[in-house]
Amino acid sequence: MLAVLRRGGDIKELLETQEMLATHCADNILDAGGIMVYATCSMLKAESENQVKKLIEKGTVKTMPIQGHEVPGFEDAIDDNGWLRVLPGNLEGDLSSTDGFFVARLVRK
């Protein structure tokens, strides 16, 4: 997102585009039981957690929690929703230089 803003982009327009694309996927592309992974390399909740909450509130999808054994080394980055949120410098060892990102796995109802 910072690159978009550096080029004079509008964050409101970016958020609307992200929501439109995610909603289209959830409503029109996924079959029942289909899995969608929503991921961003953004630190902003507006682009990440908030977008997923909007999708869930629409009622088409629900969270399919990410399990610690699926993401070795990132177990402590899974929140109470089952979403993965990594902040730069929060991991240890070889993963300490990882950039921040967000991942949610959703399933179509």
Side-chain angles (χ1 to χ4, degrees), residues 18-35:
Q18 288 173 326
E19 182 178 355
M20 179 189 69
L21 290 170
T23 299
H24 176 75
C25 179
D27 292 349
N28 302 300
I29 296 174
L30 286 180
D31 292 329
I35 295 172

Side-chain angles (χ1 to χ4, degrees), residues 22-102:
T23 299
H24 176 75
C25 179
D27 292 349
N28 302 300
I29 296 174
L30 286 180
D31 292 329
I35 295 172
M36 173 176 150
V37 174
Y38 185 89
T40 65
C41 58
S42 176
M43 303 289 293
L44 299 178
K45 287 187 176 188
E47 284 192 279
S48 306
E49 289 92 340
N50 294 358
Q51 292 285 19
V52 171
K53 287 176 185 176
K54 287 180 191 177
L55 279 173
I56 291 170
E57 288 170 2
K58 290 176 182 179
T60 307
V61 297
K62 64 181 180 177
T63 296
M64 182 179 198
I66 296 169
Q67 304 297 313
H69 70 274
E70 297 174 309
V71 288
F74 293 92
E75 299 89 348
D76 291 339
I78 300 171
D79 69 12
D80 293 340
N81 296 305
W83 303 339
L84 183 70
R85 164 56 82 189
V86 172
L87 301 174
N90 274 3
L91 299 175
E92 297 179 10
D94 292 339
L95 300 173
S96 64
S97 63
T98 301
D99 290 336
F101 60 90
F102 171 83

